[in-house]
Amino acid sequence: MFRWDIVWQFLFSSFIFQAAWTTLWISVIAQSCGVIIGLFLALMRMSRYPFLSWPARSYIWFFRGSPLLVQVLLLWDGLPRLAPSLLLPGWAAVVIAFSLNEGAYMAEITRAGITSVDPGQMEAAKSLGMRFPLAMRRIVLPQAARVIVPPLGNEFNNMLKTTSIASVIGLQELTGTAEIFGSPTFTIFELLIVVTFYYLLLTTLWGYVQNWIENRLNPDRLVKAELREKKSWTQRMIGFGTRTGGGLVSGR
Amino acid sequence: MSMDKQQANSIEMVRAEKMVKHFGHLTVLNGVDLSVKRGQVVVIIGPSGSGKTTLLRCINHLEKIDSGHIYIEGEMIGYREVNGRLVEDSEATIARIRSQIGFVFQRFNLFPHMTALENVIESPIHVLHQPRNEVTERAMSLLEKVGLAEKAHVYPHRLSGGQQQRVAIARALAMNPKLMLFDEATSALDPELVGEVLKVMDQLAKEGMTMIVVTHEMGFAREVADEVIFMDKAAIVEEGTPEQIFDNPQNERTRAFLRMIL
């Protein structure tokens, strides 16, 4: 018999809050690491030197070509076989495996973003005396961000749900918590309803954040009269930060 | 390089010897020599595919030459000689030399995520590490010089082609270059916008800037050039004063080309 009162009771219980928080922080950390790993992999893969591009290709091939679950188990079960001291805490195995895996996907997304930027931009930067890292950071990547962010949003949405894989090694994120509490008390169904609600809540909220970021990156939003004397790195990269004006004002 | 050779070059801004460049099987520069003195305006004309643009791009090493030497004020660019062999310079060295050479592209290549002013101040701040308020002040006067002070806070996609190109010129000038290279700077412009860009280039030439200009604007070449170079089929066919080239061309290919475009 399905019991709504149990659903209701679990919906606002502290252990579910805790589980949702675990799901969220694992996702955020793994996605952030994935973005950074992906950036370097993309740059390596695009390099004209085989000793850089070849390892990147192999990495991407491996992590996109084998299941994430297997990668988690390899880290968690496999490493201690090599040396017992390599037994990682469950959360660490999950965060590392997710980061490495996400890095492979982000590498392809980032590469597409960088490739989309007109090569003339890099040439202009070089002609002004910029070296490669500066030109990348100041000129190419801010423009690539417009192409990178929409698929990046999908990746994070996916990440929020894929963390359920962590339940397999006993991590108490949303799905794991539902199993651990639900199985012995025969309330698994009610708990799965509760965690589904939380997954939907997280992905919906993220959808709003994603929309907001994409609007920020829309070139038409850049039409404004005010010059801000200082822009932080995040402002440059993804357009975060307060913008004054925004109307079709040209000049003051 | 020996001391006396350096002194001999001292009034030479650019010296290129036997530049050779291939794209696959195609030879785009076939042993081209070039000498540009300080303050000189050299205009390169010639049919499409004659190697004009490649020549210009080789001078600031946007394109690598396959053999030959290029010196900027006596300093070899792109390569250094190690035991008689040419070795490509480090990125830092190439970047340092490039920062002293302004390059104006056919397609402007303004940074679209920055306002006109931000485009101009970007490199002086991040490459030369000059103080922001000082750079901003200089950038504003440069924008004024190209007639765009009121567009300082506008993004490139709100500017006309002519305005974008003038911002691009201001951006190059903000680095205080000793040499300016113009690669068909007006070819992508609507006819009515060509004049405003040529005016800025003309003014720059009058101020004594050393310039190498690849262009199809024969009026500009005749008015402003100290020397006109006619290129065809990867080589320099004829060079001389505008009067010599336009009024009394010696080579048949030069004559044919001028007949076609004038």
Side-chain angles (χ1 to χ4, degrees):
Chain A
M1 196 181 68
F2 186 77
R3 291 186 49 189
W4 280 106
D5 58 321
I6 292 179
V7 171
W8 198 249
Q9 187 191 326
F10 284 150
L11 203 54
F12 302 107
S13 62
S14 63
F15 73 91
I16 286 289
F17 283 156
Q18 187 66 44
W21 171 243
T22 305
T23 292
L24 186 62
W25 75 253
I26 288 177
S27 303
V28 169
I29 292 179
Q31 187 68 49
S32 307
C33 294
V35 167
I36 295 164
I37 294 170
L39 172 62
F40 284 100
L41 277 177
L43 292 174
M44 283 171 69
R45 188 167 161 190
M46 294 169 75
S47 166
R48 61 196 153 113
Y49 302 111
F51 71 90
L52 289 175
S53 65
W54 194 81
R57 276 167 192 273
S58 314
Y59 180 105
I60 294 166
W61 169 77
F62 176 79
F63 280 98
R64 293 208 314 168
S66 57
L68 178 56
L69 177 56
V70 173
Q71 292 162 16
V72 172
L73 292 176
L74 275 174
L75 266 178
W76 196 60
D77 283 333
L79 276 188
R81 296 271 206 94
L82 298 177
S85 61
L86 289 178
L87 176 61
L88 295 168
W91 64 267
V94 164
V95 168
I96 293 172
F98 278 46
S99 300
L100 295 178
N101 182 276
E102 186 55 28
Y105 284 92
M106 282 311 299
E108 294 296 273
I109 291 170
T110 308
R111 187 167 69 97
I114 292 173
T115 314
S116 77
V117 178
D118 175 7
Q121 292 290 311
M122 181 53 103
E123 288 199 338
K126 281 181 174 174
S127 80
L128 289 163
M130 292 194 197
R131 295 173 64 182
F132 183 82
L134 181 66
M136 264 294 156
R137 185 166 62 82
R138 300 282 310 172
I139 309 302
V140 177
L141 287 179
Q143 296 180 57
R146 277 179 208 154
V147 176
I148 293 171
V149 163
L152 168 69
N154 291 341
E155 285 297 305
F156 186 66
N157 175 298
N158 241 329
M159 179 69 82
L160 285 166
K161 297 168 296 180
T162 311
T163 45
S164 56
I165 281 181
S167 63
V168 171
I169 63 169
L171 207 71
Q172 293 187 33
E173 42 64 65
L174 281 169
T175 307
T177 303
E179 279 175 13
I180 288 167
F181 281 83
S183 295
T185 54
F186 302 104
T187 55
I188 182 78
F189 188 29
E190 285 82 356
L191 271 161
L192 285 174
I193 297 289
V194 170
V195 300
T196 303
F197 168 80
Y198 272 93
Y199 280 122
L200 285 168
L201 180 70
L202 288 174
T203 52
T204 306
L205 288 177
W206 170 247
Y208 285 115
V209 175
Q210 188 184 346
N211 271 340
W212 180 75
I213 295 174
E214 281 173 27
N215 278 333
R216 285 289 178 193
L217 287 172
N218 186 336
D220 283 336
R221 277 197 63 90
L222 294 176
V223 183
K224 47 92 196 164
E226 288 288 318
L227 169 82
R228 287 166 312 286
E229 283 302 311
K230 278 191 177 151
K231 265 187 184 173
S232 66
W233 183 80
T234 47
Q235 274 177 303
R236 273 276 175 229
M237 288 300 291
I238 48 178
F240 278 136
T242 51
R243 288 185 187 281
T244 45
L248 299 174
V249 192
S250 54
R252 299 192 252 210
Chain B
M1 185 190 306
S2 64
M3 204 51 214
D4 54 347
K5 191 168 176 195
Q6 208 156 15
Q7 272 162 358
N9 285 343
S10 66
I11 55 158
E12 255 185 342
M13 182 60 75
V14 182
R15 171 171 199 81
E17 296 165 353
K18 299 193 173 54
M19 276 189 284
V20 174
K21 172 75 186 171
H22 306 279
F23 288 129
H25 293 299
L26 188 72
T27 304
V28 264
L29 294 177
N30 196 3
V32 172
D33 295 318
L34 181 74
S35 167
V36 179
K37 295 187 181 60
R38 190 172 297 156
Q40 214 181 12
V41 177
V42 173
V43 171
I44 306 176
I45 60 172
S48 309
S50 56
K52 319 183 289 289
T53 291
T54 309
L55 170 62
L56 211 58
R57 290 166 60 83
C58 285
I59 291 174
N60 77 343
H61 206 66
L62 279 177
E63 215 74 73
K64 287 176 199 170
I65 47 175
D66 296 324
S67 71
H69 304 265
I70 301 171
Y71 304 94
I72 309 289
E73 283 194 323
E75 186 180 8
M76 207 194 306
I77 179 163
Y79 303 87
R80 80 212 116 81
E81 216 153 336
V82 179
N83 302 329
R85 279 180 54 242
L86 286 185
V87 181
E88 191 172 7
D89 261 332
S90 69
E91 197 204 1
T93 310
I94 295 169
R96 183 178 55 74
I97 298 177
R98 274 192 192 129
S99 72
Q100 304 164 354
I101 303 174
F103 199 103
V104 178
F105 297 86
Q106 185 179 352
R107 304 273 344 155
F108 331 131
N109 294 351
L110 286 184
F111 306 135
H113 57 304
M114 298 180 183
T115 63
L117 180 61
E118 287 169 330
N119 264 277
V120 178
I121 64 177
E122 177 68 15
S123 257
I125 290 176
H126 292 280
V127 175
L128 304 178
H129 305 290
Q130 294 170 345
R132 177 177 282 264
N133 47 5
E134 220 170 82
V135 173
T136 306
E137 209 171 293
R138 203 173 70 235
M140 281 308 297
S141 66
L142 281 170
L143 285 172
E144 202 159 321
K145 181 176 175 173
V146 300
L148 289 171
E150 82 282 8
K151 301 286 186 190
H153 305 299
V154 177
Y155 283 88
H157 73 289
R158 294 280 166 190
L159 296 173
S160 74
Q163 291 171 334
Q164 289 191 49
Q165 194 59 297
R166 285 185 281 153
V167 173
I169 294 173
R171 178 175 71 174
L173 291 176
M175 297 294 283
N176 282 327
K178 46 191 182 192
L179 167 68
M180 286 284 286
L181 309 175
F182 292 86
D183 180 17
E184 304 201 18
T186 58
S187 297
L189 297 178
D190 291 338
E192 76 271 21
L193 302 177
V194 169
E196 63 192 55
V197 173
L198 291 181
K199 213 176 103 199
V200 170
M201 291 165 65
D202 187 20
Q203 187 190 348
L204 210 52
K206 291 205 168 82
E207 287 168 11
M209 176 63 77
T210 313
M211 293 163 58
I212 306 179
V213 182
V214 168
T215 187
H216 292 295
E217 295 296 328
M218 296 304 143
F220 176 84
R222 189 187 271 275
E223 288 281 306
V224 181
D226 298 309
E227 188 180 325
V228 176
I229 293 175
F230 173 69
M231 282 186 78
D232 191 19
K233 300 200 176 86
I236 291 177
V237 175
E238 190 167 353
E239 51 193 307
T241 63
E243 293 74 32
Q244 286 170 336
I245 298 292
F246 291 115
D247 300 334
N248 192 18
Q250 298 301 307
N251 192 292
E252 181 47 41
R253 270 146 74 195
T254 318
R255 273 183 236 141
F257 175 72
L258 290 173
R259 263 202 307 278
M260 233 156 51
I261 57 156
L262 287 178

